Amino acid sequence: MRLRRDRSPRTIALHRYEAVLDRFDAEARSRLAAVGASLAAGDLPLPEQCRLITDEALRLSHLPGPAMVTGFGSIPYLPTNLSGQPAAARLRAIASDIATNASAGYGSAIGCADYFASISDMSFFGETDESGLDVVIRNTPMWRDGIRWPKSGGLANIPTINIGPWGRDYHTPLERLHIGYAFNVLPQVVSDVCAALLKELE
C-alpha cells in the first residue's frame, strides 16, 4: 500500500488585534487589563510587552488555532511633510533657497527631500496627518499601559524640517559621519536657516 502525502496548504486565520478584543466580555477585558498593568510595571522592552499581551489576548479570546494576530509593537513615528500653510511655505522657500546656493556658499552641495526615511523626533513636532492614528491606537496592545501619549495635543503640528548630517548606515552599528560636513558646513546651514526665519519676523 502506498501512502499519499497531502500537499494542500493549511488555512491559517489572520486577525487584527482589535478584532481579537472584540470577542471579549467584561471579565476577559478585566483579566487582560491586569496583564497589561503587570507588564508595564516590569522592565521588558515595549515590543516584548506587546507580544506577551497579544499572546494572552489570543488565549482569552478562545479563537481556534492556528492563527496569526497582527498589531503594532512600538510608539508610532508618523510621517511628516510641510503643508501649504504660510509658515510652512516660508520655511520651505528658505530651505530651498539655501540648498540651491549651497555649493557657492559652503563649498558643498545640499539637496532637499520630502521625507526622511528613518525615525525622527520630527514625527512629534512636524505637520502630520493624524487620521491614521486611531487605527494604530486600537492595534497597539500596550497603548494604554506601556505608551505615555496624551489624550490631546500629542503632536505639535509645527512646520519642521530635518537639517541633518551627511553619512551612511544611520541607526546601525556601521553608522558613519562625514566629520568635515558635520562640524563645519552643517552648523552654518542651521544658523543661516534660523537667521533667515528670524529676519522675516522682524
Side-chain angles (χ1 to χ4, degrees):
M1 180 176 70
R2 183 179 178 184
L3 298 177
R4 182 183 176 188
R5 185 178 179 183
D6 184 3
R7 296 181 179 273
S8 60
R10 186 174 182 182
T11 300
I12 299 177
L14 178 64
H15 309 285
R16 280 187 177 183
Y17 182 75
E18 62 180 322
V20 174
L21 296 190
D22 284 344
R23 298 177 57 89
F24 279 24
D25 57 18
E27 182 181 355
R29 290 185 183 278
S30 178
R31 289 185 180 181
L32 193 66
V35 173
S38 175
L39 288 170
D43 57 1
L44 291 174
L46 185 59
E48 181 64 7
Q49 293 179 33
C50 288
R51 185 190 71 79
L52 291 172
I53 200 168
T54 299
D55 186 59
E56 180 65 12
L58 186 59
R59 187 187 70 80
L60 290 170
S61 72
H62 302 293
L63 284 165
M68 292 186 294
V69 180
T70 62
F72 300 100
S74 180
I75 60 173
Y77 285 81
L78 301 178
T80 65
N81 202 354
L82 292 174
S83 69
Q85 297 297 317
R90 184 171 69 249
L91 178 56
R92 180 189 296 274
I94 289 171
S96 297
D97 182 61
I98 287 176
T100 299
N101 298 296
S103 293
Y106 313 117
S108 179
I110 296 176
C112 293
D114 285 335
Y115 288 99
F116 176 57
S118 189
I119 62 172
S120 167
D121 289 340
M122 290 173 62
S123 294
F124 307 104
F125 287 103
E127 296 172 295
T128 187
D129 180 7
E130 299 181 56
S131 62
L133 189 57
D134 186 51
V135 69
V136 173
I137 291 171
R138 296 195 312 268
N139 288 282
T140 302
M142 288 296 293
W143 185 269
R144 186 188 68 180
D145 296 306
I147 296 178
R148 302 297 180 252
W149 194 285
K151 292 183 179 179
S152 62
L155 303 171
N157 274 308
I158 298 171
T160 305
I161 60 173
N162 181 4
I163 307 174
W166 178 24
R168 291 183 181 275
D169 302 323
Y170 43 79
H171 295 173
T172 75
L174 299 177
E175 182 175 69
R176 279 106 71 202
L177 176 71
H178 190 286
I179 294 176
Y181 180 83
F183 294 104
N184 298 314
V185 177
L186 182 59
Q188 190 60 52
V189 174
V190 174
S191 176
D192 289 347
V193 170
C194 292
L197 285 168
L198 292 172
K199 184 177 181 180
E200 291 198 5
L201 295 176
E202 292 177 352

